[in-house]
């Protein structure tokens, strides 16, 4: 299994620690683990030019230097681990900026077929509150990318991980790791993702969104009998 961890800050604090705990429990010796840190690995904001949606994601001003590499890493991973601390009730700005760059990949536009065979885990920590919204910031994108199975863990850690909360966190991480399917060929999307796909397919069949999107769906054969999870 190929595991890619994308960290929403450069801090190796509580959130990163829990992410690593999870990966250590999940990964076996033959698995590969890669890590990205934001903003180092993608320091640019989305300009909102919509060139990716209307024309071609390769025309994004950030494609050659940053996005090409990250997208290749995302596409080849079987398990995505997104981490971000809660910053003012949401994910970090740099995590949001990365996710913004993938607007074109939302199912309404041009989802990548590989997503429908992937698992993802989103992890967040807060001092006290905001975990639900921060997790939602990440799961919204992953769900609309078409990721087959998404799991989350958010925890209020107060001042950090210490003897008062370590056991609780370790148990939760253990339970999270138990949910991961190690045979990538067995990962297929659940009903929710399939329903979303069929709604988007219906839209593309009827009116389409952009010409680029419609051509994409046609080329994939998704307007016919092909499905991205087969
Ligand atoms: C700029 C900033 C904003 C924050 N906003 C919140 C917040 O809205 N709610 C909260 O409970 N904690 C908030 N925190 C605290 C962090 O979420 C918390 O300390 C978290 O565990 C830090 O994770 P880390 O150790 O991985 O960096 C904030 C911290 C910073 C630096």
């Amino acid at each position: 299994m190929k595991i890619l961890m994308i960290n929403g800050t450069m801090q190796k604090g509580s959130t990163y620690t829990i992410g690593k705990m999870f990966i250590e429990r999940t990964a076996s010796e033959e698995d590969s683990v890669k890590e990205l840190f934001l903003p180092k690995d993608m320091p640019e904001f989305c300009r909102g030019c919509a060139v990716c949606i209307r024309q071609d994601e390769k025309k994004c001003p950030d494609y050659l230097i940053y996005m090409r590499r990250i997208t290749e890493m995302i596409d080849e991973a079987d398990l995505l681990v997104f981490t971000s601390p809660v910053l003012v009730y949401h994910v970090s700005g740099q995590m949001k900026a990365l996710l913004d760059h993938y607007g074109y990949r939302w199912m309404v536009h041009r989802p990548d077929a590989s997503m429908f065979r992937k698992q993802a885990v989103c992890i967040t920590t807060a001092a006290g509150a905001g975990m639900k919204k921060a997790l939602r910031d990440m799961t919204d994108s992953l769900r609309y990318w078409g990721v087959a199975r998404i799991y989350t863990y958010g925890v209020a850690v107060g001042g950090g991980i210490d003897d008062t909360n370590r056991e609780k966190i370790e148990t939760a991480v253990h339970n999270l790791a138990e949910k991961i399917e190690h045979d990538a060929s067995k990962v297929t999307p659940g009903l929710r993702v399939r329903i979303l796909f069929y709604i988007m397919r219906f839209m593309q069949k009827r009116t389409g969104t952009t010409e680029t999107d419609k051509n994409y769906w046609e080329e994939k054969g998704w307007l016919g009998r092909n499905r991205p999870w087969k």
Side-chain angles (χ1 to χ4, degrees):
M1 189 163 60
K2 289 180 178 164
I3 303 172
L4 175 65
M5 184 187 203
I6 303 185
N7 296 291
T9 68
M10 309 290 292
Q11 307 293 323
K12 291 190 172 174
S14 305
T15 325
Y16 175 79
T17 303
I18 295 174
K20 285 298 274 186
M21 237 187 238
F22 164 76
I23 289 172
E24 271 157 29
R25 281 208 173 259
T26 308
S28 51
E29 262 180 28
E30 60 270 20
D31 293 341
S32 72
V33 181
K34 290 181 183 168
E35 293 180 21
L36 294 172
F37 291 88
L38 303 173
K40 175 174 72 68
D41 291 301
M42 223 305 281
E44 299 291 345
F45 288 106
C46 170
R47 294 155 187 79
C49 64
V51 136
C52 60
I53 293 175
R54 292 207 195 96
Q55 297 177 29
D56 186 342
E57 67 275 12
K58 295 186 180 70
K59 291 187 179 171
C60 170
D62 303 319
Y63 179 75
L64 283 178
I65 303 178
Y66 299 110
M67 292 304 291
R68 178 167 62 177
R69 169 175 172 253
I70 295 187
T71 305
E72 280 170 9
M73 290 170 82
I74 288 176
D75 289 351
E76 71 176 21
D78 302 299
L79 172 61
L80 301 169
V81 181
F82 279 71
T83 79
S84 173
V86 173
L87 301 185
V88 291
Y89 265 30
H90 290 277
V91 285
S92 66
Q94 51 272 36
M95 175 62 85
K96 176 69 165 61
L98 174 71
L99 295 174
D100 291 346
H101 279 80
Y102 286 114
Y104 75 94
R105 277 207 165 189
W106 276 44
M107 241 189 269
V108 66
H109 298 295
R110 304 191 302 279
D112 194 79
S114 70
M115 294 297 158
F116 296 82
R117 314 294 309 232
K118 287 188 204 302
Q119 299 174 92
V121 170
C122 300
I123 293 169
T124 191
T125 72
M131 292 90 74
K132 206 169 166 186
K133 285 183 179 175
L135 288 172
R136 182 78 195 263
D137 290 338
M138 296 182 273
T139 58
D140 272 349
S141 278
L142 294 171
R143 184 153 291 119
Y144 281 94
W145 290 1
V147 171
R149 296 188 196 172
I150 304 168
Y151 305 102
T152 61
Y153 180 50
V155 60
V157 293
I161 301 173
D162 57 25
D163 291 344
T164 63
N165 55 23
R166 184 169 290 110
E167 202 179 318
K168 178 183 89 173
I169 291 168
E170 279 174 356
T171 305
V173 167
H174 170 80
N175 293 340
L176 195 60
E178 290 281 291
K179 291 179 181 160
I180 300 302
E181 171 60 64
H182 290 262
D183 181 352
S185 70
K186 287 193 183 149
V187 178
T188 50
L191 190 62
R192 194 168 169 181
V193 175
R194 285 175 200 240
I195 289 172
L196 272 177
F197 176 83
Y198 282 112
I199 293 170
M200 304 306 162
R201 179 177 177 271
F202 180 73
M203 274 177 49
Q204 289 298 344
K205 269 196 133 168
R206 287 204 63 177
T207 50
T209 36
T210 66
E211 211 185 315
T212 316
D213 293 348
K214 183 136 192 159
N215 291 340
Y216 180 84
W217 279 72
E218 262 167 10
E219 277 162 24
K220 295 282 174 197
W222 295 341
L223 300 180
R225 287 179 172 273
N226 289 357
R227 297 292 174 264
W229 52 85
K230 284 183 183 160

Short mmCIF file of all heavy atoms in Angstrom, two decimals, residues 125-179:
data_model
loop_
_atom_site.label_atom_id
_atom_site.label_comp_id
_atom_site.label_asym_id
_atom_site.label_seq_id
_atom_site.Cartn_x
_atom_site.Cartn_y
_atom_site.Cartn_z
N THR A 125 -6.65 18.37 15.35
CA THR A 125 -6.69 18.62 16.80
C THR A 125 -6.98 20.10 17.01
O THR A 125 -6.67 20.94 16.16
CB THR A 125 -5.35 18.30 17.52
OG1 THR A 125 -4.37 19.28 17.19
CG2 THR A 125 -4.85 16.90 17.20
N ALA A 126 -7.59 20.37 18.15
CA ALA A 126 -7.85 21.76 18.55
C ALA A 126 -7.52 21.88 20.03
O ALA A 126 -7.41 20.87 20.73
CB ALA A 126 -9.33 22.10 18.33
N ALA A 127 -7.40 23.11 20.50
CA ALA A 127 -7.28 23.29 21.94
C ALA A 127 -8.60 22.88 22.58
O ALA A 127 -8.62 22.15 23.58
CB ALA A 127 -6.94 24.73 22.26
N GLY A 128 -9.72 23.34 21.98
CA GLY A 128 -11.00 23.02 22.61
C GLY A 128 -12.12 22.73 21.63
O GLY A 128 -12.90 21.81 21.82
N ALA A 129 -12.22 23.50 20.55
CA ALA A 129 -13.40 23.36 19.68
C ALA A 129 -13.07 23.69 18.22
O ALA A 129 -12.09 24.38 17.94
CB ALA A 129 -14.51 24.28 20.17
N GLY A 130 -13.93 23.20 17.35
CA GLY A 130 -13.78 23.50 15.92
C GLY A 130 -13.39 22.29 15.10
O GLY A 130 -13.20 22.39 13.87
N MET A 131 -13.26 21.13 15.75
CA MET A 131 -12.80 19.94 15.02
C MET A 131 -13.77 19.55 13.89
O MET A 131 -13.35 19.15 12.82
CB MET A 131 -12.64 18.73 15.96
CG MET A 131 -11.52 18.87 16.97
SD MET A 131 -12.10 19.64 18.47
CE MET A 131 -13.04 18.37 19.23
N LYS A 132 -15.06 19.65 14.19
CA LYS A 132 -16.05 19.19 13.21
C LYS A 132 -15.94 19.98 11.90
O LYS A 132 -15.95 19.43 10.81
CB LYS A 132 -17.45 19.36 13.82
CG LYS A 132 -18.47 18.42 13.25
CD LYS A 132 -19.73 18.46 14.08
CE LYS A 132 -20.85 17.79 13.30
NZ LYS A 132 -22.12 17.92 13.98
N LYS A 133 -15.80 21.30 12.07
CA LYS A 133 -15.72 22.14 10.86
C LYS A 133 -14.41 21.90 10.10
O LYS A 133 -14.39 21.89 8.87
CB LYS A 133 -15.82 23.61 11.25
CG LYS A 133 -17.21 24.04 11.60
CD LYS A 133 -17.23 25.51 11.91
CE LYS A 133 -18.64 25.97 12.25
NZ LYS A 133 -18.66 27.36 12.66
N ALA A 134 -13.32 21.74 10.86
CA ALA A 134 -12.02 21.51 10.20
C ALA A 134 -12.04 20.18 9.44
O ALA A 134 -11.53 20.09 8.32
CB ALA A 134 -10.90 21.55 11.22
N LEU A 135 -12.65 19.17 10.06
CA LEU A 135 -12.72 17.88 9.36
C LEU A 135 -13.58 18.01 8.11
O LEU A 135 -13.26 17.46 7.06
CB LEU A 135 -13.28 16.80 10.30
CG LEU A 135 -12.34 16.36 11.42
CD1 LEU A 135 -13.04 15.44 12.40
CD2 LEU A 135 -11.08 15.67 10.85
N ARG A 136 -14.65 18.76 8.24
CA ARG A 136 -15.56 18.95 7.11
C ARG A 136 -14.85 19.65 5.95
O ARG A 136 -15.08 19.34 4.78
CB ARG A 136 -16.77 19.75 7.60
CG ARG A 136 -17.83 20.01 6.61
CD ARG A 136 -18.73 18.78 6.39
NE ARG A 136 -19.49 18.96 5.19
CZ ARG A 136 -20.75 19.42 5.15
NH1 ARG A 136 -21.39 19.67 6.27
NH2 ARG A 136 -21.36 19.58 4.00
N ASP A 137 -13.97 20.61 6.30
CA ASP A 137 -13.21 21.31 5.24
C ASP A 137 -12.46 20.30 4.37
O ASP A 137 -12.34 20.46 3.15
CB ASP A 137 -12.17 22.26 5.86
CG ASP A 137 -12.81 23.48 6.52
OD1 ASP A 137 -13.95 23.83 6.17
OD2 ASP A 137 -12.15 24.07 7.39
N MET A 138 -11.91 19.27 5.03
CA MET A 138 -11.13 18.27 4.28
C MET A 138 -12.04 17.23 3.63
O MET A 138 -11.85 16.89 2.46
CB MET A 138 -10.10 17.61 5.21
CG MET A 138 -9.07 18.60 5.73
SD MET A 138 -7.79 17.87 6.77
CE MET A 138 -8.52 17.93 8.39
N THR A 139 -13.03 16.75 4.39
CA THR A 139 -13.86 15.66 3.83
C THR A 139 -14.73 16.15 2.67
O THR A 139 -15.02 15.38 1.76
CB THR A 139 -14.76 15.00 4.90
OG1 THR A 139 -15.59 16.00 5.50
CG2 THR A 139 -13.92 14.31 5.97
N ASP A 140 -15.14 17.42 2.69
CA ASP A 140 -15.92 17.93 1.56
C ASP A 140 -15.17 17.71 0.26
O ASP A 140 -15.72 17.23 -0.74
CB ASP A 140 -16.19 19.45 1.72
CG ASP A 140 -17.46 19.72 2.52
OD1 ASP A 140 -18.23 18.79 2.77
OD2 ASP A 140 -17.66 20.90 2.90
N SER A 141 -13.88 18.10 0.25
CA SER A 141 -13.10 17.92 -0.98
C SER A 141 -12.93 16.45 -1.32
O SER A 141 -13.19 16.03 -2.45
CB SER A 141 -11.73 18.60 -0.87
OG SER A 141 -11.86 19.98 -1.13
N LEU A 142 -12.51 15.67 -0.33
CA LEU A 142 -12.24 14.25 -0.62
C LEU A 142 -13.49 13.54 -1.13
O LEU A 142 -13.42 12.74 -2.06
CB LEU A 142 -11.71 13.56 0.65
CG LEU A 142 -10.33 14.08 1.11
CD1 LEU A 142 -9.98 13.52 2.47
CD2 LEU A 142 -9.26 13.73 0.10
N ARG A 143 -14.62 13.86 -0.51
CA ARG A 143 -15.87 13.21 -0.94
C ARG A 143 -16.19 13.58 -2.38
O ARG A 143 -16.52 12.72 -3.20
CB ARG A 143 -17.00 13.62 0.00
CG ARG A 143 -18.30 12.92 -0.30
CD ARG A 143 -19.18 12.80 0.92
NE ARG A 143 -18.64 11.88 1.89
CZ ARG A 143 -18.29 12.21 3.15
NH1 ARG A 143 -18.42 13.45 3.56
NH2 ARG A 143 -17.82 11.31 3.98
N TYR A 144 -16.05 14.87 -2.69
CA TYR A 144 -16.39 15.30 -4.06
C TYR A 144 -15.29 14.96 -5.07
O TYR A 144 -15.52 15.02 -6.26
CB TYR A 144 -16.77 16.78 -4.08
CG TYR A 144 -18.19 16.99 -3.60
CD1 TYR A 144 -18.45 17.30 -2.28
CD2 TYR A 144 -19.26 16.82 -4.46
CE1 TYR A 144 -19.76 17.45 -1.83
CE2 TYR A 144 -20.56 16.97 -4.03
CZ TYR A 144 -20.81 17.28 -2.71
OH TYR A 144 -22.10 17.41 -2.27
N TRP A 145 -14.11 14.61 -4.58
CA TRP A 145 -13.10 14.05 -5.50
C TRP A 145 -13.49 12.62 -5.89
O TRP A 145 -12.95 12.07 -6.83
CB TRP A 145 -11.72 13.95 -4.82
CG TRP A 145 -11.02 15.23 -4.53
CD1 TRP A 145 -11.45 16.50 -4.78
CD2 TRP A 145 -9.73 15.36 -3.91
NE1 TRP A 145 -10.51 17.41 -4.33
CE2 TRP A 145 -9.45 16.74 -3.80
CE3 TRP A 145 -8.79 14.44 -3.42
CZ2 TRP A 145 -8.26 17.22 -3.24
CZ3 TRP A 145 -7.63 14.91 -2.86
CH2 TRP A 145 -7.35 16.29 -2.78
N GLY A 146 -14.35 12.01 -5.06
CA GLY A 146 -14.78 10.64 -5.34
C GLY A 146 -14.07 9.58 -4.50
O GLY A 146 -14.19 8.38 -4.78
N VAL A 147 -13.33 10.01 -3.47
CA VAL A 147 -12.59 9.04 -2.63
C VAL A 147 -13.57 8.00 -2.05
O VAL A 147 -14.63 8.35 -1.52
CB VAL A 147 -11.83 9.77 -1.49
CG1 VAL A 147 -11.26 8.77 -0.49
CG2 VAL A 147 -10.72 10.63 -2.09
N ALA A 148 -13.19 6.73 -2.22
CA ALA A 148 -14.11 5.63 -1.92
C ALA A 148 -14.49 5.56 -0.45
O ALA A 148 -15.66 5.39 -0.10
CB ALA A 148 -13.51 4.31 -2.37
N ARG A 149 -13.50 5.66 0.43
CA ARG A 149 -13.78 5.53 1.86
C ARG A 149 -13.04 6.61 2.64
O ARG A 149 -11.82 6.77 2.46
CB ARG A 149 -13.32 4.17 2.38
CG ARG A 149 -14.07 3.02 1.75
CD ARG A 149 -13.70 1.74 2.45
NE ARG A 149 -14.08 0.59 1.67
CZ ARG A 149 -13.74 -0.66 1.98
NH1 ARG A 149 -12.99 -0.89 3.04
NH2 ARG A 149 -14.13 -1.67 1.23
N ILE A 150 -13.76 7.33 3.46
CA ILE A 150 -13.17 8.45 4.21
C ILE A 150 -13.42 8.23 5.71
O ILE A 150 -14.56 8.00 6.12
CB ILE A 150 -13.78 9.80 3.78
CG1 ILE A 150 -13.61 10.00 2.26
CG2 ILE A 150 -13.14 10.95 4.54
CD1 ILE A 150 -14.44 11.16 1.70
N TYR A 151 -12.36 8.34 6.47
CA TYR A 151 -12.47 8.21 7.93
C TYR A 151 -11.91 9.48 8.57
O TYR A 151 -11.02 10.12 7.99
CB TYR A 151 -11.70 6.99 8.44
CG TYR A 151 -12.11 5.73 7.74
CD1 TYR A 151 -11.32 5.17 6.74
CD2 TYR A 151 -13.31 5.10 8.07
CE1 TYR A 151 -11.71 4.02 6.08
CE2 TYR A 151 -13.71 3.95 7.42
CZ TYR A 151 -12.91 3.40 6.43
OH TYR A 151 -13.30 2.27 5.78
N THR A 152 -12.43 9.81 9.76
CA THR A 152 -11.98 11.05 10.40
C THR A 152 -11.68 10.83 11.88
O THR A 152 -12.24 9.94 12.51
CB THR A 152 -13.08 12.15 10.31
OG1 THR A 152 -14.25 11.69 10.98
CG2 THR A 152 -13.41 12.51 8.88
N TYR A 153 -10.81 11.68 12.37
CA TYR A 153 -10.58 11.72 13.82
C TYR A 153 -10.22 13.15 14.23
O TYR A 153 -9.26 13.73 13.73
CB TYR A 153 -9.44 10.77 14.23
CG TYR A 153 -9.19 10.80 15.72
CD1 TYR A 153 -10.23 10.65 16.64
CD2 TYR A 153 -7.90 10.99 16.24
CE1 TYR A 153 -10.01 10.68 18.02
CE2 TYR A 153 -7.66 11.02 17.61
CZ TYR A 153 -8.74 10.87 18.50
OH TYR A 153 -8.52 10.91 19.84
N GLY A 154 -11.03 13.69 15.12
CA GLY A 154 -10.76 15.02 15.66
C GLY A 154 -10.78 14.97 17.16
O GLY A 154 -11.64 14.30 17.75
N VAL A 155 -9.84 15.64 17.79
CA VAL A 155 -9.78 15.59 19.25
C VAL A 155 -9.30 16.93 19.81
O VAL A 155 -8.42 17.58 19.25
CB VAL A 155 -8.86 14.41 19.71
CG1 VAL A 155 -7.45 14.55 19.19
CG2 VAL A 155 -8.86 14.25 21.22
N ALA A 156 -9.93 17.32 20.92
CA ALA A 156 -9.46 18.51 21.63
C ALA A 156 -8.35 18.08 22.57
O ALA A 156 -8.55 17.21 23.41
CB ALA A 156 -10.62 19.13 22.41
N VAL A 157 -7.18 18.67 22.40
CA VAL A 157 -6.02 18.23 23.20
C VAL A 157 -5.59 19.27 24.24
O VAL A 157 -4.59 19.06 24.92
CB VAL A 157 -4.81 17.88 22.29
CG1 VAL A 157 -5.11 16.65 21.44
CG2 VAL A 157 -4.39 19.06 21.43
N GLY A 158 -6.34 20.36 24.33
CA GLY A 158 -5.97 21.39 25.31
C GLY A 158 -4.57 21.90 25.03
O GLY A 158 -4.30 22.44 23.97
N GLY A 159 -3.66 21.62 25.93
CA GLY A 159 -2.28 22.10 25.76
C GLY A 159 -1.39 21.14 24.98
O GLY A 159 -0.20 21.42 24.79
N GLY A 160 -1.89 20.00 24.56
CA GLY A 160 -1.07 19.05 23.80
C GLY A 160 -1.35 17.62 24.24
O GLY A 160 -2.29 17.37 25.01
N ILE A 161 -0.53 16.69 23.76
CA ILE A 161 -0.71 15.29 24.13
C ILE A 161 0.14 15.01 25.38
O ILE A 161 1.34 15.26 25.39
CB ILE A 161 -0.30 14.35 22.98
CG1 ILE A 161 -1.14 14.67 21.73
CG2 ILE A 161 -0.46 12.88 23.38
CD1 ILE A 161 -0.71 13.94 20.49
N ASP A 162 -0.53 14.53 26.41
CA ASP A 162 0.19 14.23 27.66
C ASP A 162 -0.46 13.02 28.33
O ASP A 162 -1.32 12.35 27.73
CB ASP A 162 0.23 15.45 28.59
CG ASP A 162 -1.17 15.97 28.90
OD1 ASP A 162 -2.13 15.16 28.83
OD2 ASP A 162 -1.32 17.16 29.21
N ASP A 163 -0.09 12.76 29.56
CA ASP A 163 -0.59 11.56 30.25
C ASP A 163 -2.10 11.59 30.46
O ASP A 163 -2.72 10.55 30.67
CB ASP A 163 0.12 11.40 31.60
CG ASP A 163 1.58 11.02 31.39
OD1 ASP A 163 1.92 10.60 30.26
OD2 ASP A 163 2.38 11.17 32.33
N THR A 164 -2.70 12.78 30.40
CA THR A 164 -4.15 12.84 30.65
C THR A 164 -4.96 12.39 29.43
O THR A 164 -6.11 11.99 29.57
CB THR A 164 -4.60 14.28 31.01
OG1 THR A 164 -4.34 15.13 29.88
CG2 THR A 164 -3.88 14.81 32.24
N ASN A 165 -4.39 12.49 28.24
CA ASN A 165 -5.20 12.14 27.05
C ASN A 165 -4.55 11.09 26.14
O ASN A 165 -5.16 10.64 25.17
CB ASN A 165 -5.53 13.42 26.24
CG ASN A 165 -4.28 14.21 25.85
OD1 ASN A 165 -3.18 13.65 25.79
ND2 ASN A 165 -4.45 15.48 25.58
N ARG A 166 -3.29 10.70 26.44
CA ARG A 166 -2.57 9.80 25.54
C ARG A 166 -3.30 8.47 25.31
O ARG A 166 -3.45 8.03 24.16
CB ARG A 166 -1.14 9.57 26.03
CG ARG A 166 -0.32 8.72 25.06
CD ARG A 166 1.15 8.68 25.37
NE ARG A 166 1.80 9.95 25.11
CZ ARG A 166 2.28 10.77 26.04
NH1 ARG A 166 2.17 10.45 27.30
NH2 ARG A 166 2.87 11.90 25.72
N GLU A 167 -3.81 7.90 26.38
CA GLU A 167 -4.44 6.58 26.25
C GLU A 167 -5.70 6.66 25.38
O GLU A 167 -5.92 5.82 24.51
CB GLU A 167 -4.78 6.05 27.65
CG GLU A 167 -4.92 4.54 27.66
CD GLU A 167 -5.23 4.02 29.04
OE1 GLU A 167 -4.62 4.50 30.02
OE2 GLU A 167 -6.09 3.14 29.15
N LYS A 168 -6.46 7.71 25.63
CA LYS A 168 -7.70 7.90 24.85
C LYS A 168 -7.36 8.04 23.34
O LYS A 168 -8.01 7.45 22.48
CB LYS A 168 -8.41 9.17 25.35
CG LYS A 168 -9.67 9.53 24.61
CD LYS A 168 -10.29 10.82 25.10
CE LYS A 168 -9.75 12.03 24.36
NZ LYS A 168 -10.41 13.29 24.67
N ILE A 169 -6.32 8.82 23.07
CA ILE A 169 -5.93 9.04 21.67
C ILE A 169 -5.41 7.75 21.05
O ILE A 169 -5.77 7.39 19.93
CB ILE A 169 -4.88 10.18 21.59
CG1 ILE A 169 -5.53 11.52 21.94
CG2 ILE A 169 -4.24 10.24 20.20
CD1 ILE A 169 -4.57 12.67 22.17
N GLU A 170 -4.61 7.02 21.80
CA GLU A 170 -4.06 5.76 21.26
C GLU A 170 -5.16 4.77 20.95
O GLU A 170 -5.11 4.09 19.91
CB GLU A 170 -3.07 5.16 22.27
CG GLU A 170 -1.70 5.82 22.16
CD GLU A 170 -0.71 5.38 23.23
OE1 GLU A 170 -1.09 4.61 24.13
OE2 GLU A 170 0.43 5.84 23.17
N THR A 171 -6.17 4.74 21.79
CA THR A 171 -7.30 3.81 21.54
C THR A 171 -8.04 4.23 20.27
O THR A 171 -8.37 3.40 19.41
CB THR A 171 -8.28 3.83 22.74
OG1 THR A 171 -7.53 3.54 23.92
CG2 THR A 171 -9.40 2.83 22.57
N ALA A 172 -8.28 5.53 20.15
CA ALA A 172 -9.01 6.02 18.97
C ALA A 172 -8.21 5.76 17.69
O ALA A 172 -8.77 5.35 16.66
CB ALA A 172 -9.29 7.51 19.12
N VAL A 173 -6.91 5.97 17.77
CA VAL A 173 -6.05 5.74 16.60
C VAL A 173 -6.02 4.25 16.25
O VAL A 173 -6.08 3.87 15.07
CB VAL A 173 -4.62 6.28 16.88
CG1 VAL A 173 -3.63 5.78 15.84
CG2 VAL A 173 -4.63 7.80 16.90
N HIS A 174 -5.98 3.43 17.27
CA HIS A 174 -6.02 1.98 17.05
C HIS A 174 -7.31 1.61 16.31
O HIS A 174 -7.30 0.87 15.32
CB HIS A 174 -5.93 1.26 18.40
CG HIS A 174 -6.19 -0.20 18.31
ND1 HIS A 174 -5.24 -1.10 17.88
CD2 HIS A 174 -7.30 -0.93 18.55
CE1 HIS A 174 -5.76 -2.31 17.88
NE2 HIS A 174 -7.01 -2.24 18.28
N ASN A 175 -8.44 2.13 16.79
CA ASN A 175 -9.74 1.83 16.15
C ASN A 175 -9.79 2.33 14.72
O ASN A 175 -10.35 1.68 13.84
CB ASN A 175 -10.88 2.46 16.96
CG ASN A 175 -11.04 1.80 18.31
OD1 ASN A 175 -10.56 0.67 18.51
ND2 ASN A 175 -11.65 2.48 19.27
N LEU A 176 -9.17 3.48 14.49
CA LEU A 176 -9.13 4.05 13.14
C LEU A 176 -8.30 3.14 12.21
O LEU A 176 -8.72 2.83 11.09
CB LEU A 176 -8.48 5.44 13.23
CG LEU A 176 -8.59 6.41 12.07
CD1 LEU A 176 -10.05 6.73 11.80
CD2 LEU A 176 -7.84 7.72 12.41
N ALA A 177 -7.18 2.70 12.71
CA ALA A 177 -6.28 1.85 11.91
C ALA A 177 -6.96 0.52 11.56
O ALA A 177 -6.74 -0.03 10.48
CB ALA A 177 -4.98 1.60 12.67
N GLU A 178 -7.80 0.05 12.47
CA GLU A 178 -8.51 -1.23 12.23
C GLU A 178 -9.44 -1.15 11.02
O GLU A 178 -9.77 -2.16 10.42
CB GLU A 178 -9.36 -1.58 13.47
CG GLU A 178 -8.56 -1.96 14.68
CD GLU A 178 -8.06 -3.39 14.61
OE1 GLU A 178 -8.89 -4.29 14.69
OE2 GLU A 178 -6.84 -3.58 14.43
N LYS A 179 -9.88 0.07 10.72
CA LYS A 179 -10.86 0.23 9.64
C LYS A 179 -10.22 0.17 8.25
O LYS A 179 -10.91 0.04 7.24
CB LYS A 179 -11.58 1.58 9.79
CG LYS A 179 -12.49 1.62 11.01
CD LYS A 179 -13.15 2.98 11.12
CE LYS A 179 -14.05 3.01 12.36
NZ LYS A 179 -14.35 4.37 12.79
#
